[in-house]
Amino acid sequence: MPEFQTSPGMRDVLPPESARWRRFVRTFDETVSAAGYGQVVPPLLEDIGVFHRVGEATDVVTKEMYDFVDKGERHVALRPEQTASVCRAFVQHRPATPWKVWYAGPNFRYEKPQRGRYRQFDQVGIEVLGPDDPFLDVEVIALGWRFFQMLGLRQVTLTVNSLGEPADRTAFVAALRDHFETNIERLSPESRVTLAKNPLRVLDSKRPADSDVIASAPRIADFHSETARSSFATVLDGLRALDIPFVVNERLVRGLDYYRFTTFEYVGGTLDSAQNALGGGGRYDGLVEDLGGPATPGVGFAIGLDRTLLACDDEGVFAAREQGVDVFVVDTTGGLHALTITDQLRAAGISADRAFENRSMKSQMKAADRSGATVAVIIGSDEAAAGTAVVRPLRDGGEQTSVPRSELTTTLRKVLS
Ligand code: HAM
């Protein structure tokens, strides 16, 4: 066992898997760019205060933050998510609204590592700041849905809920607390601890011992104001108009505190229930204000890359593709020709690789085969003397030809087209 390995919950992403990661982000970029979203790249590290607004009562903030005091005595944290960073950037730069942005990158949460749950994990996401319009919620939800379609993932269920206005939520939480305290004897010891911190999170419990008390708990819809009711109805009408199937899940509270009105999750059909949320989001109208900005509505989502790729594996879609070069240059004269030819081809936009260490012809041809190249360009002492190169197709048969070096690029373009 080597002395150094990745820390728990952190992984190396190697080729060809890393190419799939890039393709994942590119597919997301294409999906949301087509809807007018521009990329924002916030730093990995922020003042810890930025993340406190995510929720003082959440595990993400109280237990899982990677925080430390830096050399300038600033208390900073690695971001556990990017919504708070995007809102901080909005307050700092004051761009015109609607501000429609997307992001992709790693986040850090000190969680118990398991399949689909890591301490460093990647997300792609969008946020829109400015408009207070339930049709925007629909646009956001629909873009996530479209992205899963672009990946080819089929077993995804959209669940939606509304947490209502802040006052509705406060009244609901008070009623929940009453209900759970009255029935505390029937709650699991874990849920009793959760209750003391945040009664909403008890609704998340999947422990059988809690199911009866949860089933008889007050329902959020009974606390919705008229505004919350009509906003939620508009969101559901919009989803129906787009033929996006959904399930209303009144127990969907999400793990972060900033949500009001619409919340939603995309749930994967093949993953364990403890980590089957492929992505989630909602409205967070108070967050910009909490971070010192003007009252500004916001809505968005984030989709977990690591977890979604596991779901893709389960469904056999969006597979990793071996990536090869077009041309492999074999040079048995010492390697200088391979150096100049690969450089010339790459400059002409033809992907090319070569072997090193002046190996035998046989060994270089083996390397050419392994490289996945379509064509080998071979230089022996005869070719070197004559200023020519042999072009040999590696895949689908075809005759090898000898061409002058000056015509090599043109010939290869024809062979590869
Ligand atoms: P979240 O539900 O905490 O929301 O995370 C979104 C997604 O990130 C999850 O559904 C999951 O796929 C992935 N994820 C979270 N934690 C882990 C982990 N430890 N390992 C692997 N994947 C993980 C947010 O982060 C909000 N910022 C979403 C949002 C954007 N709300 C409004 N705008």
Side-chain angles (χ1 to χ4, degrees):
M1 177 105 65
E3 185 181 354
F4 295 114
Q5 303 217 357
T6 45
S7 299
M10 309 219 169
R11 293 159 313 139
D12 296 313
V13 186
L14 308 177
E17 180 66 3
S18 48
R20 184 160 78 141
W21 277 44
R22 283 207 308 281
R23 209 147 53 84
F24 185 98
V25 174
R26 205 181 318 131
T27 305
F28 189 74
D29 174 358
E30 282 162 13
T31 308
V32 298
S33 294
Y37 290 71
Q39 188 179 9
V40 58
V41 187
L44 291 185
L45 197 94
E46 300 262 4
D47 187 298
I48 193 166
V50 172
F51 303 120
H52 280 149
R53 302 330 195 262
V54 168
E56 303 276 13
T58 63
D59 284 354
V60 171
V61 169
T62 55
K63 289 206 260 171
E64 298 167 0
M65 202 100 85
Y66 277 85
D67 65 311
F68 60 97
V69 177
D70 75 6
K71 295 186 203 307
E73 303 293 317
R74 292 174 204 92
H75 194 175
V76 292
L78 292 177
R79 65 185 184 205
E81 58 109 56
Q82 293 173 64
T83 310
S85 300
V86 168
C87 291
R88 192 269 312 138
F90 177 83
V91 174
Q92 185 173 339
H93 304 288
R94 295 292 175 93
T97 56
W99 200 45
K100 298 173 84 174
V101 294
W102 70 275
Y103 50 82
N107 311 281
F108 302 84
R109 296 182 192 176
Y110 198 84
E111 298 202 69
K112 193 159 170 258
Q114 51 198 292
R115 186 175 190 258
R117 192 176 290 280
Y118 310 102
R119 290 184 178 167
Q120 177 176 336
F121 60 95
D122 270 60
Q123 288 180 339
V124 293
I126 57 176
E127 312 291 349
V128 188
L129 295 174
D132 181 11
D133 182 340
F135 283 141
L136 176 59
D137 304 24
V138 180
E139 166 171 314
V140 165
I141 297 173
L143 281 171
W145 186 256
R146 162 112 352 112
F147 172 62
F148 289 118
Q149 286 180 329
M150 301 293 283
L151 292 182
L153 205 59
R154 285 179 303 273
Q155 295 190 48
V156 184
T157 306
L158 168 66
T159 58
V160 287
N161 191 20
S162 171
L163 292 176
E165 299 190 63
D168 310 345
R169 188 180 153 140
T170 309
F172 174 57
V173 171
L176 269 185
R177 181 175 282 116
D178 268 2
H179 171 76
F180 289 134
E181 275 171 0
T182 311
N183 294 285
I184 199 150
E185 303 300 325
R186 293 160 59 208
L187 279 181
S188 65
E190 294 88 343
S191 285
R192 287 179 206 176
V193 175
T194 311
L195 173 60
K197 288 191 289 187
N198 186 350
L200 269 180
R201 305 291 306 166
V202 177
L203 293 177
D204 266 353
S205 161
K206 306 218 161 67
R207 282 174 285 273
D210 297 322
S211 62
D212 283 353
V213 186
I214 290 177
S216 58
R219 313 195 83 85
I220 181 70
D222 296 332
F223 293 79
H224 281 164
S225 66
E226 194 39 50
T227 313
R229 215 186 315 274
S230 90
S231 150
F232 194 41
T234 308
V235 171
L236 302 187
D237 282 346
L239 291 172
R240 285 187 201 103
L242 296 182
D243 281 332
I244 296 178
F246 62 84
V247 175
V248 174
N249 174 7
E250 282 195 70
R251 303 289 177 223
L252 178 67
V253 293
R254 310 258 313 120
L256 308 162
D257 273 354
Y258 47 56
Y259 293 112
R260 22 181 109 163
F261 294 103
T262 316
T263 54
F264 56 95
E265 269 181 10
Y266 306 101
V267 181
T270 60
L271 302 172
D272 283 355
S273 66
Q275 53 271 335
N276 63 356
L278 300 175
R283 213 163 240 295
Y284 47 86
D285 294 347
L287 187 56
V288 169
E289 221 172 340
D290 277 352
L291 287 163
T296 310
V299 59
F301 68 71
I303 290 173
L305 178 153
D306 314 70
R307 219 176 262 186
T308 303
L309 287 182
L310 286 177
C312 287
D313 291 341
D314 291 343
E315 286 195 27
V317 297
F318 203 73
R321 282 199 298 249
E322 280 298 337
Q323 284 210 314
V325 288
D326 291 328
V327 176
F328 198 92
V329 180
V330 172
D331 173 2
T332 58
T333 70
L336 187 62
H337 289 290
L339 182 73
T340 53
I341 293 174
T342 47
D343 184 62
Q344 172 198 338
L345 296 182
R346 290 167 189 165
I350 298 173
S351 60
D353 200 1
R354 56 165 294 186
F356 290 94
E357 299 177 323
N358 199 20
R359 296 275 166 92
S360 68
M361 171 83 169
K362 193 169 160 211
S363 153
Q364 292 194 46
M365 286 309 294
K366 256 197 204 151
D369 213 43
R370 265 202 313 271
S371 76
T374 315
V375 177
V377 167
I378 305 165
I379 311 274
S381 44
D382 291 352
E383 287 75 22
T388 59
V390 169
V391 174
R392 181 187 293 178
L394 292 173
R395 304 280 155 221
D396 36 12
E399 288 294 294
Q400 74 172 37
T401 49
S402 177
V403 296
R405 281 280 296 267
S406 55
E407 290 169 23
L408 185 58
T409 310
T410 329
T411 308
L412 285 171
R413 280 222 175 91
K414 270 193 215 132
V415 175
L416 291 169
S417 65

